[in-house]
Amino acid sequence: MREWLIHLPKPAKRAIVVACDLALLTAALALAFVFRLDRLPLPQSSSEWLTVALAPTLAIVGLRFAGVYRLVVRDMGGDGLRRILLGLGGGAIAWGAICFTFSLAFVSVVFVPRSVFFGFLILGFVLLAGIRTLAYLYFTDRQIDWQSLLTLEVAPQRRKTALIVGYELSTPKIARQLALQGRYRIAGIIHDDPTMEHRKVDGYKIYGTGEIDRILSRGDVDDVFLLASKFTAPRRLELFQEIGAHDVEVKQLPTFSDIESGRVNVSDLRPVDVMQLLGREPVPPLEDLLDGAVRDRAVLITGAGGSIGSELARMTAGLGPRKLVLVETSETALYAIQQELAALGEAVEAGLREARTGRDGTAYETDLSRARGQFPEVVGVLASVVQPGELDAVFEAHEIDVVYHAAAYKHVPIVEGNMAAGVRNNSFGTLRLAQASCRAGVGQFIMISTDKAVRPTNIMGASKRLAEMFLKAIARDPATQTRFAMVRFGNVLGSSGSVVPLFHRQIAAGGPITVTHPEITRYFMSIPEAVQLVIQSGAMSEQGALYVLDMGEPVRIVELARAMINLAGLTERSDAHPDGDIEIAFVGLRPGEKLYEELLIDGASTATRHPRIRRQEEPATPMERLTPLVAELEAAVAVGGTDDEVKRLMRRLVADYRPAETEDEKGLVIPFRRAAPSA
């Protein structure tokens, strides 16, 4: 019954409330007569019947104008009670004025004693407030805020003043609903359209983003509600830096439907998290791409215990594959993802949607409905992609149809210090896995690549670029039956190498936060969004295709660090502010590290069916041209060749690999320019 009432349409809910109030007000009028006359007199004429009918009718009108019916019944407090009293008072006064002033005066003097007007007001208030209190108890599990109720007349609770930053069509409605809940006065709405400045929308003043500092400097704003979806990630960080300079709390602005339905109360609003600052509004997936990606197929995932690999395992498990084979070199990581998939399997059997929080702190749902009540067989394999014999046995045993290759050494400084191991795993591991896939007749092979493969300045990026070259060379061979594709993207939030968890640890330790360079920028994307786009890229892939994910705008890491300091309720310590809490220390670029990352080599890309997936057009080098140097490089890395030897051979294979040879060369790359994608 409760859930049915909660999910009724808004007009139906309002009709039920008005009908209930009308009945209670009629009862209040009857009780007022009984208390005054010790009996219930029945009207004897049409004039007396009209007099009786006017009382609850005018009270309902008064309640409507007092805004009672715009309030959420399940969120009653002192403000709601004041509105009920105001509405009933207005209705009772209007009733008395009509009765004693106009044509009903004679009837009213005889039929309605003056004390009945006051009795009706008091009893009506008690009944309407009481039924709403009962509704509160019925629809929520919270304790009644008696302090808020008892301060109705004694000491009304001071309303906070809030500024809304970000505008969409529903924003004035959200502002009105927040104000009606009684705890906030809305100081205005910040709009990013200059033509809207100094206008009023539904009674709320509109300001430009340039006026944020002036408004907050007045000191009368307590909270700022940020509509994060209206700004790019870099702009969100800039806004948060500007807002964070003032003594206000920044909170996430809920949707209008969440507030109106009662799913979110003002007391439930939460401070903004760094993931909301960096993240962006997800684009709904193309259902046919997801549904047909792996259904009824045997899927193999390498690096299945890592950030990307484990999310691939979770998502593909809910898409109805026949079998899921997880390849991982770490026993601990393999055990963890197998246990998690076992729990997901139970949820699928029960037909549930699994709601959870990812490693990056993002709350989201895994839609298990596509599994159609069946969960795949999950097989864990402790193996390395650099062992072709082990891979052949895995492919033969499980009849693999689709391969997602996520295994790689990704940490730039570590790979730079272990060049032979990095090339052996990232480049030749990919080559051996691809060759094993061809021998086994695998239908599709999708490799996870990186933006560091574009004009690489480090071995990690160069080794991934060489892996891309291997796959392109194999794909252009007419004898190749396996369909190869690569998906290139930047940093994902919450991965093992992400700066976000590092900064969290450094802030918890009291600082300093270490940033390599004041101008260093990076792309960011949530793990679930990246993996969903990878799966859709694979579903529409063509032979040898290289797909690039739209990562949005790059973010300056120092601005991210400052935002995280402010989110923790702390301040930056600097020469200008020596009394701050956390210092930001610039430690210099690490070996092979770029100031800027790029996703496109020459800007030549074409659109695909998905708005955030583009196809990058890059030439393929025939394998016969690669083979002599590849053989020499493979021999060098097999015996742990020197760094100089590995770099020399990699420079001959990857034409635009430019390692930093001196301290002055570190970070010197072509300045970042966002290329306009070609049609």
Side-chain angles (χ1 to χ4, degrees):
M1 181 67 175
R2 177 165 53 185
E3 291 301 316
W4 177 78
L5 287 171
I6 289 174
H7 292 96
L8 278 177
K10 179 181 174 183
K13 292 179 183 177
R14 185 166 293 176
I16 291 173
V17 173
V18 171
C20 182
D21 286 351
L22 193 59
L24 290 173
L25 289 168
T26 302
L29 181 60
L31 288 172
F33 273 106
V34 170
F35 288 155
R36 173 65 179 83
L37 304 175
D38 292 328
R39 63 185 177 86
L40 180 61
L42 294 177
Q44 301 299 316
S45 66
S46 59
S47 295
E48 291 181 353
W49 278 109
L50 182 58
T51 301
V52 170
L54 273 176
T57 302
L58 290 173
I60 292 292
V61 173
L63 293 171
R64 192 265 182 196
F65 279 102
V68 171
Y69 297 119
R70 293 196 299 269
L71 289 172
V72 178
V73 174
R74 290 174 283 148
D75 193 30
M76 287 299 297
D79 180 69
L81 298 182
R82 282 188 288 274
R83 289 178 183 275
I84 292 173
L85 187 58
L86 178 64
L88 288 177
I93 291 171
W95 180 40
I98 291 175
C99 288
F100 284 94
T101 305
F102 298 105
S103 60
L104 300 176
F106 176 77
V107 174
S108 299
V109 170
V110 174
F111 182 66
V112 185
R114 290 181 178 87
S115 58
V116 169
F117 293 98
F118 298 102
F120 172 66
L121 173 61
I122 295 170
L123 290 169
F125 175 78
V126 170
L127 290 177
L128 265 59
I131 195 65
R132 281 162 171 77
T133 301
L134 291 175
Y136 182 98
L137 293 173
Y138 180 68
F139 287 110
T140 71
D141 295 324
R142 301 178 208 158
Q143 297 296 318
I144 298 176
D145 185 2
W146 292 110
Q147 182 177 1
S148 173
L149 299 180
L150 293 173
T151 55
L152 172 62
E153 296 178 354
V154 179
Q157 183 180 7
R158 187 187 78 85
R159 292 199 297 173
K160 290 185 176 181
T161 299
L163 177 69
I164 295 179
V165 177
Y167 182 93
E168 58 185 12
L169 290 177
S170 64
T171 303
K173 293 182 180 179
I174 298 175
R176 188 182 307 110
Q177 200 66 34
L178 289 169
L180 285 173
Q181 287 190 355
R183 300 186 185 179
Y184 280 97
R185 182 185 70 84
I186 305 303
I189 302 172
I190 301 296
H191 201 306
D192 56 353
D193 182 358
T195 63
M196 292 292 293
E197 290 184 29
H198 306 300
R199 295 186 181 183
K200 278 194 173 184
V201 177
D202 290 349
Y204 293 103
K205 187 71 175 290
I206 304 298
Y207 300 95
T209 53
E211 295 187 80
I212 293 177
D213 186 69
R214 180 186 65 79
I215 295 171
L216 297 182
S217 295
R218 298 193 311 232
D220 59 348
V221 174
D222 302 291
D223 291 341
V224 171
F225 292 141
L226 179 65
L227 186 63
S229 62
K230 300 305 295 180
F231 305 97
T232 64
R235 182 59 178 142
R236 282 196 290 270
L237 285 173
E238 291 174 4
L239 287 171
F240 193 82
Q241 282 296 111
E242 185 174 1
I243 297 167
H246 301 272
D247 186 20
V248 296
E249 187 172 6
V250 186
K251 297 181 178 179
Q252 304 173 46
L253 186 68
T255 65
F256 176 67
S257 60
D258 282 343
I259 296 176
E260 189 179 41
S261 67
R263 290 191 295 269
V264 174
N265 294 294
V266 173
S267 58
D268 294 330
L269 300 182
R270 296 290 180 261
V272 172
D273 184 78
V274 68
M275 302 307 173
Q276 278 74 47
L277 293 180
L278 292 178
R280 54 189 178 163
E281 289 299 298
V283 171
L286 301 179
E287 294 295 329
D288 61 315
L289 292 181
L290 279 185
D291 193 60
V294 297
R295 181 167 300 285
D296 300 323
R297 300 176 186 176
V299 179
L300 182 144
I301 300 173
T302 68
S307 304
I308 298 296
S310 60
E311 187 62 28
L312 273 167
R314 297 182 197 102
M315 283 199 181
T316 54
L319 297 176
R322 172 172 52 85
K323 182 183 291 187
L324 199 55
V325 179
L326 311 178
V327 177
E328 177 58 61
T329 59
S330 167
E331 180 187 26
T332 302
L334 183 60
Y335 175 78
I337 187 60
Q338 281 188 287
Q339 290 296 108
E340 188 173 343
L341 290 179
L344 285 179
E346 295 176 1
V348 167
E349 295 298 327
L352 303 177
R353 293 173 67 90
E354 179 73 5
R356 55 195 182 80
T357 301
R359 294 185 181 186
D360 60 355
T362 305
Y364 58 97
E365 283 186 336
T366 299
D367 187 355
L368 303 175
S369 61
R370 294 187 180 88
R372 297 174 185 169
Q374 296 182 350
F375 199 72
E377 175 189 357
V378 178
V379 179
V381 177
L382 280 172
S384 171
V385 294
V386 299
Q387 299 296 331
E390 294 179 3
L391 297 175
D392 285 330
V394 171
F395 282 117
E396 182 179 355
H398 301 290
E399 300 178 344
I400 302 299
D401 301 300
V402 179
V403 172
Y404 289 104
H405 178 38
Y409 292 154
K410 308 179 185 71
H411 296 268
V412 170
I414 292 178
V415 176
E416 202 68 12
N418 298 271
M419 293 187 178
V423 173
R424 184 166 59 247
N425 187 72
N426 294 354
S427 301
F428 290 105
T430 300
L431 177 60
R432 298 296 169 244
L433 183 65
Q435 292 169 337
S437 299
C438 290
R439 289 192 296 270
V442 170
Q444 190 176 21
F445 184 111
I446 302 102
M447 185 189 85
I448 308 298
S449 191
T450 172
D451 56 359
K452 294 174 178 61
V454 179
R455 279 186 275 271
T457 60
N458 52 66
I459 282 294
M460 196 284 278
S463 64
K464 293 294 284 185
R465 179 67 179 283
L466 182 56
E468 292 179 356
M469 294 169 62
F470 284 153
L471 296 190
K472 280 185 167 292
I474 295 173
R476 75 189 303 272
D477 186 341
T480 299
Q481 299 299 311
T482 301
R483 188 167 77 251
F484 289 92
M486 297 138 278
V487 184
R488 185 188 287 166
F489 55 92
N491 300 275
V492 289
L493 293 167
S495 67
S496 58
S498 171
V499 296
V500 173
L502 172 63
F503 288 174
H504 274 306
R505 291 194 299 270
Q506 291 177 335
I507 290 172
I513 288 181
T514 55
V515 178
T516 55
H517 192 283
E519 299 301 322
I520 194 167
T521 65
R522 289 294 181 265
Y523 292 100
F524 287 98
M525 177 183 284
S526 74
I527 294 175
E529 182 185 12
V531 169
Q532 191 180 82
L533 292 175
V534 166
I535 294 173
Q536 292 177 89
S537 299
M540 65 181 176
S541 66
E542 301 173 10
Q543 181 64 289
L546 171 60
Y547 295 99
V548 178
L549 304 187
D550 176 9
M551 299 290 295
E553 296 294 328
V555 171
R556 289 180 68 209
I557 300 300
V558 67
E559 297 302 326
L560 171 61
R562 287 172 177 148
M564 291 184 66
I565 291 173
N566 290 334
L567 282 171
L570 304 172
T571 58
E572 180 187 357
R573 183 167 66 245
S574 63
D575 292 340
H577 300 91
D579 296 328
D581 303 298
I582 302 291
E583 178 188 3
I584 296 178
F586 297 103
V587 297
L589 291 170
R590 298 172 295 182
E593 190 171 38
K594 286 184 178 182
L595 276 180
Y596 313 100
E597 299 291 1
E598 303 163 277
L599 289 169
L600 306 178
I601 289 179
D602 56 11
S605 66
T606 56
T608 67
R609 290 176 55 195
H610 198 289
R612 287 189 177 169
I613 303 173
R614 298 190 68 84
R615 178 169 177 171
Q616 168 75 2
E617 305 298 335
E618 293 180 7
T621 304
M623 185 62 78
E624 54 267 22
R625 289 179 54 188
L626 295 174
T627 300
L629 285 174
V630 166
E632 188 177 350
L633 177 62
E634 186 172 19
V637 300
V639 297
T642 65
D643 289 352
D644 288 341
E645 185 179 10
V646 171
K647 283 196 289 186
R648 177 181 63 82
L649 293 170
M650 288 294 288
R651 292 188 72 164
R652 295 178 64 187
L653 279 164
V654 182
D656 52 1
Y657 168 46
R658 292 291 182 267
E661 302 294 351
T662 68
E663 289 296 318
D664 292 337
E665 289 180 316
K666 291 179 183 178
L668 294 180
V669 297
I670 298 174
F672 174 82
R673 292 183 178 86
R674 189 173 178 83
S678 57

